[in-house]
Amino acid sequence: MATNATSGAQPATENELRNNLSDPDAVHKETYPVLVLGALGVVYGDIGTSPIYAFREALHAASTDGSLLRADVLGIVSMIFWALTLIVTVKYILFVLRADNDGEGGILSLMALARESYKTRPRLILGIGIVGAALFYGDAVITPAISVLSAIEGLEIVTPAFTPYVVPITITILLALFSVQRYGTARMAFFFGPITLAWFLALGFFGLWHVFDDLSVLAAVNPHYGFDYIVRNQGTAFATIGTVFLAVTGAEALYADLGHFGRRPISTAWMWIVFPCLLLNYFGQGAFVLAHGEAAKNPFFEMFPPWALLPMVILATAATVIASQAVISGAYSLSRQAVQLNLLPRLHIAHTSEKQSGQVYLPRINFLLGLVVVLLVLGFERSTNLAAAYGIAVTGNMLVTTTLLFIVMTRIWQWRFWVAAFTTACFLIIDITFVGANLIKVIDGGWASLLIAILIVLIMSTWVKGSRQLQKKIGQGDVPLELISTKLAQSPPTIVPGTAVFLTGNPKSTPVALMHSLKHYKVLHERNVILNVVTAPSPVVRKSDRMRIEPIDDRFMQITLTFGYMERPNVPRTLAIFKAAGWKFDIMTTSFFLSRRSLRASPRSDMPFWQDKLFIALARSASDATEYFQIPTGRVVEIGTQVTI
């Protein structure tokens, strides 16, 4: 049976979907600029708001005694420049975005690619992927909190009277953001794209304006200044590197949101708009501090002229709300992949676009993300406090990405081993440095993101282990369908009129609902269909490929229905097509039999008792199959069975 659910969004025509979704980059020319603009609004919101706090926090880390040397400022600017260049431009834009899985990106997509290259499907790679996914969730809840908080704190510069209202205003904005997610990424991008474009242009404009305060800041392009800072300031260098990393947080969202817009629009937006504007702003902040050393407290907001301060605070607030969208939409994509890979129970997944398969909305994930984000704002209260919690999850995720990328390079791209090893070694040196620099912030707040990641790892590992144990338990009692049909033909039970449709995930085995129906009711319908519904990796399925029929005998037949991932499965309507083939299907004389398992924990389980309970709770939270397949509830018979795991 299918593992994901769909929304009420109406699918486009088959030809439209096939043209638009067969390749994530094969978009129509007239939609390409729209996708670039949408990528600005959804993908780059996170990294685009880093200038608000990244340079500020790096200055604070470097000036523990309250003083800053000219070489220190140049060193910080240099490290930020090369971090953006090497991590985002080289690693993600040039390499990681190429590792798409049928147009989808994200850590789980990369894990699936790496794992599929092995016939044995190593569990070690699965574990690495789970850890990476869990770390991304940690990033997904901290980003909205720190981004919006940092922008609202700009009101304190306008007037200190706003200080008591920073947290309430932040929570109000975040609640509004999560409440509109149901309208879909496409609609969000329509509104967010132009705002984000204005934001980046403003960053570039004011940054370029202040570069002329001290043109010597351009010397920071030389990596010598970054290395020189590290050598001269060994006591504070590690902490400063950890804050410099804030400038590249959001890079993982580029890959996670790959399915939303495609590689080319994301790359174009970065190279022509985002990257130049970010560099101009960071260099502008550096020049401003070199010319006005006393402004090191909050250079981003203080470098604006009085007439532009309030408008920029408002624009920054809008931009940080949009920044949250980058990781929120990435979390949706990641969750859908987790469901498809059976790392999470079946969730209600709403497809919100007919042109991009990756644009989805998950109500339950949205609620949980919103709840945790609000709790973080209430608990940390200041963006500076949250900065300590930020970075650990992102750096860990990037380290996992580099590890899996090496496997993809060698086993899928067929690169020479030494070329792949050298490339990933360069990335690993950077990743490990940033991981180490951020680990020192665990006590100061980094524990929050790690705690969230540990909880996600626990949930995913429990679901994977419990599902395997459940399948093993069920498989012990499997009876081949051909054996049952043969015995029933030899000694038929009482035959009743009508059609019975038994939904199953294993068409070769006798459905549990059929076994229990024969055992307790001792009757058999005139016609019996063993129905298996699968989801194809393509957006739509041709009508000729929709159904596969395998007659067993006069009473039984096996039917496989295949739907594309952009199609909403309607089992009764699809079965009605059989009328043209001479098979009499009448919904009023057809009963759909589903098996509903009641799970019980066993003291002899392979898992601890508490983990059994957690798996059972997760299984009960799975979406209802009747609603997903659009079967009229009046035609459904659910037969409950108890399974001790």
Side-chain angles (χ1 to χ4, degrees):
M1 294 172 63
T3 55
N4 65 324
T6 58
S7 73
Q10 294 299 317
T13 65
E14 182 174 319
N15 289 335
E16 287 174 341
L17 284 171
R18 186 170 290 108
N19 289 335
N20 289 330
L21 295 174
S22 58
D23 179 355
D25 289 331
V27 294
H28 296 302
K29 291 182 179 179
E30 64 268 23
T31 65
Y32 187 78
V34 176
L35 287 176
V36 173
L37 187 63
L40 281 177
V42 174
V43 178
Y44 290 109
D46 186 4
I47 198 170
T49 53
S50 295
I52 299 177
Y53 50 83
F55 193 72
R56 177 194 71 195
E57 295 301 323
L59 290 175
H60 291 173
S63 59
T64 53
D65 58 354
S67 62
L68 268 177
L69 299 177
R70 181 182 190 83
D72 295 337
V73 177
L74 292 176
I76 293 172
V77 176
S78 181
M79 286 189 286
I80 290 177
F81 170 78
W82 285 105
L84 288 170
T85 301
L86 296 176
I87 293 179
V88 186
T89 306
V90 177
K91 178 180 176 180
Y92 279 91
I93 296 295
L94 297 183
F95 290 97
V96 177
L97 288 186
R98 293 179 56 201
D100 69 284
N101 190 350
D102 289 329
E104 288 291 340
I107 194 67
L108 290 182
S109 176
L110 190 61
M111 180 271 290
L113 275 177
R115 199 161 180 246
E116 287 173 3
S117 66
Y118 292 89
K119 292 182 179 180
T120 57
R121 302 291 192 271
R123 293 188 180 183
L124 176 61
I125 296 180
L126 176 64
I128 293 174
I130 289 176
V131 171
L135 290 169
F136 184 86
Y137 280 115
D139 173 34
V141 293
I142 294 179
T143 294
I146 190 174
S147 298
V148 179
L149 256 180
S150 62
I152 299 302
E153 287 169 355
L155 292 173
E156 297 176 324
I157 298 178
V158 178
T159 170
F162 278 109
T163 300
Y165 305 103
V166 168
V167 171
I169 293 175
T170 299
I171 292 177
T172 301
I173 292 173
L174 288 170
L175 289 176
L177 173 65
F178 282 99
S179 67
V180 300
Q181 291 299 315
R182 64 181 182 273
Y183 296 112
T185 305
R187 294 187 182 181
M188 305 289 281
F190 176 79
F191 291 104
F192 287 172
I195 297 175
T196 310
L197 178 60
W199 168 253
F200 279 115
L201 293 178
L203 289 181
F205 172 76
F206 286 108
L208 180 62
W209 184 358
H210 285 286
V211 163
F212 292 97
D213 289 354
D214 194 327
L215 286 174
S216 66
V217 73
L218 297 177
V221 172
N222 188 340
H224 163 75
Y225 287 96
F227 287 113
D228 177 67
Y229 174 84
I230 295 173
V231 172
R232 289 187 300 98
N233 301 275
Q234 297 182 13
T236 60
F238 224 41
T240 304
I241 291 173
T243 54
V244 164
F245 183 78
L246 295 173
V248 296
T249 53
E252 190 64 25
L254 274 69
Y255 188 41
D257 286 327
L258 179 61
H260 288 247
F261 300 98
R263 180 170 60 90
R264 285 181 54 218
I266 291 176
S267 301
T268 300
W270 172 258
M271 296 304 299
W272 292 97
I273 301 174
V274 182
F275 190 39
C277 291
L278 287 178
L279 291 182
L280 284 173
N281 193 266
Y282 282 120
F283 276 85
Q285 288 191 57
F288 182 74
V289 172
L290 289 176
H292 311 81
E294 71 280 1
K297 182 179 179 181
N298 198 338
F300 179 80
F301 285 111
E302 293 187 17
M303 73 175 185
F304 297 122
W307 60 267
L309 180 58
L310 184 59
M312 283 302 297
V313 169
I314 296 173
L315 185 58
T317 302
T320 53
V321 170
I322 297 169
S324 306
Q325 184 64 40
V327 291
I328 292 172
S329 56
Y332 294 157
S333 297
L334 189 72
S335 300
R336 184 181 71 162
Q337 293 170 8
V339 170
Q340 292 171 334
L341 294 170
N342 200 32
L343 301 179
L344 289 175
R346 183 172 57 207
L347 300 170
H348 177 66
I349 302 175
H351 288 276
T352 58
S353 173
E354 297 174 352
K355 296 184 180 298
Q356 287 296 119
S357 65
Q359 295 185 7
V360 294
Y361 165 67
L362 289 80
R364 193 175 302 175
I365 297 298
N366 184 68
F367 172 78
L368 292 175
L369 287 177
L371 177 63
V372 176
V373 168
V374 169
L375 291 177
L376 285 173
V377 173
L378 291 174
F380 285 87
E381 295 185 339
R382 303 293 298 181
S383 63
T384 299
N385 299 334
L386 271 170
Y390 210 21
I392 294 180
V394 186
T395 53
N397 190 289
M398 289 183 175
L399 183 60
V400 171
T401 298
T402 302
T403 304
L404 294 175
L405 184 64
F406 173 75
I407 300 175
V408 172
M409 286 177 173
T410 55
R411 299 187 64 87
I412 297 179
W413 295 350
Q414 299 296 314
W415 283 20
R416 292 183 179 180
F417 180 85
W418 69 269
V419 175
F422 176 77
T423 304
T424 51
C426 294
F427 296 150
L428 282 173
I429 292 173
I430 299 173
D431 293 339
I432 292 173
T433 300
F434 280 124
V435 168
N438 279 278
L439 282 176
I440 63 176
K441 300 189 293 185
V442 171
I443 298 178
D444 296 329
W447 58 267
S449 58
L450 289 180
L451 178 61
I452 294 169
I454 290 171
L455 291 175
I456 298 298
V457 168
L458 179 62
I459 290 172
M460 287 187 172
S461 59
T462 297
W463 183 253
V464 170
K465 190 175 181 180
S467 297
R468 288 174 177 167
Q469 186 167 310
L470 178 60
Q471 291 302 318
K472 181 180 178 181
K473 184 76 174 181
I474 294 173
Q476 293 174 353
D478 277 353
V479 179
L481 182 60
E482 292 184 359
L483 177 62
I484 288 293
S485 62
T486 301
K487 288 188 175 182
L488 290 176
Q490 295 172 351
S491 179
T494 302
I495 305 299
V496 296
T499 302
V501 178
F502 297 91
L503 274 75
T504 179
N506 183 5
K508 299 300 181 183
S509 177
T510 305
V512 175
L514 174 58
M515 294 290 291
H516 281 264
S517 178
L518 291 170
K519 178 180 179 181
H520 296 288
Y521 304 141
K522 297 180 174 58
V523 297
L524 188 68
H525 285 72
E526 288 179 317
R527 293 173 298 274
N528 298 273
V529 176
I530 310 303
L531 179 64
N532 184 34
V533 181
V534 298
T535 302
S538 56
V540 294
V541 174
R542 291 185 178 89
K543 185 176 179 180
S544 58
D545 299 329
R546 176 79 67 202
M547 295 169 288
R548 187 175 71 249
I549 310 171
E550 297 180 20
I552 300 174
D553 56 26
D554 294 339
R555 298 288 181 195
F556 286 91
M557 68 170 61
Q558 289 179 344
I559 297 178
T560 300
L561 299 182
T562 305
F563 295 91
Y565 55 73
M566 276 297 292
E567 298 176 295
R568 187 180 184 190
N570 189 318
V571 169
R573 182 185 301 169
T574 307
L575 289 177
I577 299 174
F578 282 110
K579 287 184 178 180
W583 186 62
K584 296 180 180 179
F585 173 78
D586 183 0
I587 186 65
M588 299 310 296
T589 61
T590 301
S591 298
F592 293 85
F593 288 82
L594 282 73
S595 176
R596 181 176 292 273
R597 298 186 182 95
S598 177
L599 305 181
R600 293 181 177 274
S602 170
R604 296 188 298 273
S605 171
D606 294 337
M607 298 189 299
F609 186 76
W610 64 267
Q611 200 168 22
D612 277 341
K613 289 291 188 181
L614 175 59
F615 174 72
I616 292 171
L618 291 171
R620 289 174 179 170
S621 69
S623 297
D624 184 67
T626 302
E627 178 184 357
Y628 172 58
F629 294 118
Q630 303 185 69
I631 304 172
T633 55
R635 307 308 307 171
V636 174
V637 178
E638 290 189 349
I639 297 180
T641 59
Q642 291 188 356
V643 179
T644 302
I645 59 173

